[in-house]
């Protein structure tokens, strides 16, 4: 679908946006910043999980992603099962109608091609497939921009993800592991590029921002229950993670260190509450971050960060603060390696408070060197993302791109 001469380009953004996950919303914010700077004439709206939040926060019209409001709740009663099934048919029609009204649809970042956390195939993977299939049907260019991918064990989920990627008009990934995973699934990735996570395009906290109390440590926690293949062991994995993290926080407080607990999703609140209850120290407090910008300010004010969620890590690294990853997936290890901190990873599945404290102290001893490394790596990430947005313009908005960029994109 090509807009008539002089007609504003109609751009849709798609995903689990406004649904309580700060990383997803930060990726949206980065793409909206690009669109407003490079394509201010574009008319933008969203098909998303939390339309009210997206409209209130970002000032764009938004439509609910799923017709059935209980889409992500387990359906046990016959009525709920029937409603969810009917919703799949209704969503096919609604998605097609929405896609048809657009020239371009962007899926901004997020781990939309992975199942590193529990995921049912007929939830978001089905929604993404509908988007990409109807985009191909109506000649609407669908772009998966800076997305994450990983090997998927479930055959139905893997099939939906593979066909979604094949049907997209443009793909780029946030790490080489993601591109390799899609290639292994049978997707031709020869022209797909890898760039840093979109959140690295967000502005860093300004120099001279208020510092926290001396010695503050930010600990980013997560409602971690393992991945999609760990459902049978989810409770055990969560208990081990919570116990190890609580022991670590308690040890920091006993050393007199102020600890600030961070989250990245509304689902993480019970973990914060459990740690606060178990440690019961005035030195341990919880942050009420509502955006990645808030998280960056929190991490910039800390001496050191220890975090689990991927975008907690991104925020700390972008802020230039020495960071240790409680890694729950290969994407976290890849991110830390890209930023020169691959020595500072600890498995979230097997949190050993003693070993974690050793790594933490080693990181603090190397703090000055780590900060210099992060300054250098952040400059590189910024340049890479400038190339990402130039390539995106060439692929999706050829009339606005320099001729050489269009030739490279084609």
């Amino acid at each position: 679908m090509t807009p008539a001469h002089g007609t504003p380009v109609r751009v849709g953004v798609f995903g689990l946006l406004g649904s309580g996950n700060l990383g997803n919303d930060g990726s949206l914010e980065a793409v909206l910043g690009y669109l407003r700077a490079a394509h201010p004439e574009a008319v933008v709206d969203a098909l998303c999980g939390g339309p009210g939040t997206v409209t209130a926060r970002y000032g764009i019209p938004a439509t609910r992603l799923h017709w059935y409001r209980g889409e992500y709740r387990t359906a046990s009663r016959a009525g709920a099962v029937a409603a969810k099934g009917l919703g799949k048919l209704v969503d096919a029609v609604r998605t097609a109608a929405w896609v048809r009204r657009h020239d371009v649809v962007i899926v901004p970042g997020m781990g939309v091609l992975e199942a590193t956390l529990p995921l049912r195939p007929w939830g978001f993977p089905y929604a993404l497939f509908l988007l990409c299939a109807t985009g191909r049907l109506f000649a609407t260019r669908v772009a998966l921009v800076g997305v994450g991918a990983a090997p998927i064990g479930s055959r139905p989920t893997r099939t939906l993800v593979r066909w979604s990627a094949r049907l997209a008009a443009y793909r780029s990934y946030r790490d080489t592991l993601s591109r390799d995973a899609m290639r292994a699934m049978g997707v031709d990735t020869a022209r797909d590029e890898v760039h840093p996570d979109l959140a690295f395009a967000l502005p860093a906290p300004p120099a001279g921002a208020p510092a926290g109390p001396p010695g503050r440590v930010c600990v980013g926690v997560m409602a971690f229950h393992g991945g999609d293949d760990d459902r049978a062991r989810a409770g055990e994995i969560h208990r081990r993670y919570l116990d190890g993290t609580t022991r670590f926080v308690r040890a920091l407080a006993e050393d007199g260190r102020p600890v600030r607990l961070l989250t990245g999703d509304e689902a993480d609140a019970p973990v914060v509450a459990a740690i606060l209850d178990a440690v019961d120290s005035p030195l341990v407090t919880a942050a009420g971050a509502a955006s990645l910008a808030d998280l960056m300010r929190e991490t910039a004010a800390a001496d050191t960060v220890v975090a689990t969620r991927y975008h907690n890590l991104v925020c700390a690294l972008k802020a230039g603060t020495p960071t240790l990853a409680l890694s729950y997936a290969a994407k976290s290890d890849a991110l830390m390696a890209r930023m020169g901190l691959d020595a500072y990873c600890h498995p979230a599945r097997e949190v050993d408070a003693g070993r974690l404290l050793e790594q933490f102290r080693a990181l603090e001893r190397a703090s000055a060197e780590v900060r210099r490394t992060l300054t250098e790596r952040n400059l590189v990430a910024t340049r890479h993302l400038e190339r990402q947005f130039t390539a995106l313009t060439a692929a999706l908005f050829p009339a606005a791109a320099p001729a050489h960029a269009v030739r490279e994109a084609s």
Side-chain angles (χ1 to χ4, degrees), residues 5-318:
H5 180 71
T7 302
V9 179
R10 298 163 297 177
V11 180
V13 289
F14 177 95
L16 294 177
L17 309 165
S19 300
N21 184 284
L22 302 187
N24 292 359
D25 291 354
S27 299
L28 169 62
E29 186 176 344
V31 165
L32 291 178
Y34 150 72
L35 290 172
R36 287 163 179 163
H39 306 284
E41 76 290 347
V43 177
V44 184
D45 73 309
L47 185 63
C48 60
T53 299
V54 167
T55 297
R57 184 173 294 168
Y58 304 109
I60 61 173
T63 303
R64 194 170 71 249
L65 178 60
H66 298 291
W67 171 79
Y68 178 55
R69 292 179 181 271
E71 176 61 39
Y72 293 104
R73 295 195 297 268
T74 301
S76 55
R77 295 184 177 181
V81 172
K84 186 172 281 194
L86 176 61
K88 301 304 173 189
L89 299 176
V90 175
D91 285 346
V93 176
R94 292 174 71 251
T95 301
W98 183 81
V99 167
R100 193 172 188 176
R101 296 197 299 268
H102 297 82
D103 305 302
V104 171
V105 174
I106 296 175
V107 181
M110 305 178 286
V112 296
L113 303 178
E114 64 182 52
T116 52
L117 297 176
L119 183 70
R120 298 294 189 190
W122 306 117
F124 188 78
Y126 173 73
L128 183 66
F129 171 75
L130 288 179
L131 170 75
C132 296
T134 54
R136 181 64 66 92
L137 178 65
F138 296 120
T140 297
R141 296 185 292 276
V142 174
L144 310 180
V145 182
V147 298
I152 297 172
S154 164
R155 181 175 293 180
T157 302
R158 187 171 63 247
T159 299
L160 288 167
V161 163
R162 178 172 61 246
W163 277 104
S164 296
R166 284 176 172 174
L167 292 168
Y170 175 91
R171 296 179 299 269
S172 66
Y173 307 97
R174 62 189 179 191
D175 51 49
T176 55
L177 291 175
S178 296
R179 183 170 62 185
D180 292 346
M182 296 315 299
R183 182 183 299 123
M185 286 188 213
V187 176
D188 181 2
T189 62
R191 295 171 57 194
D192 297 354
E193 296 182 344
V194 173
H195 298 282
D197 188 86
L198 289 171
F200 280 102
L202 297 174
R216 172 180 280 183
V217 181
C218 282
V219 178
V221 301
M222 178 180 178
F224 178 58
H225 296 80
D228 198 46
D229 297 330
D230 297 317
R231 293 177 184 272
R233 301 173 51 238
E236 173 194 346
I237 290 170
H238 180 66
R239 283 190 296 274
R240 186 179 296 134
Y241 168 79
L242 180 58
D243 179 66
T245 305
T246 301
R247 290 173 184 271
F248 175 70
V249 171
R250 182 181 291 114
L252 292 176
E254 289 173 350
D255 283 346
R257 301 293 295 269
V259 178
R260 190 78 160 157
L261 300 178
L262 308 179
T263 61
D265 193 288
E266 292 174 353
D268 302 332
V271 179
V272 170
I275 293 174
L276 289 173
D277 183 61
V279 177
D280 191 23
S281 167
L283 289 172
V284 183
T285 58
S291 67
L292 291 195
D294 290 344
L295 284 176
M296 282 191 205
R297 284 190 289 271
E298 292 281 353
T299 58
D303 286 8
T304 311
V305 175
V306 179
T308 310
R309 279 200 180 272
Y310 183 83
H311 280 99
N312 277 196
L313 294 173
V314 170
C315 288
L317 297 167
K318 173 73 175 179

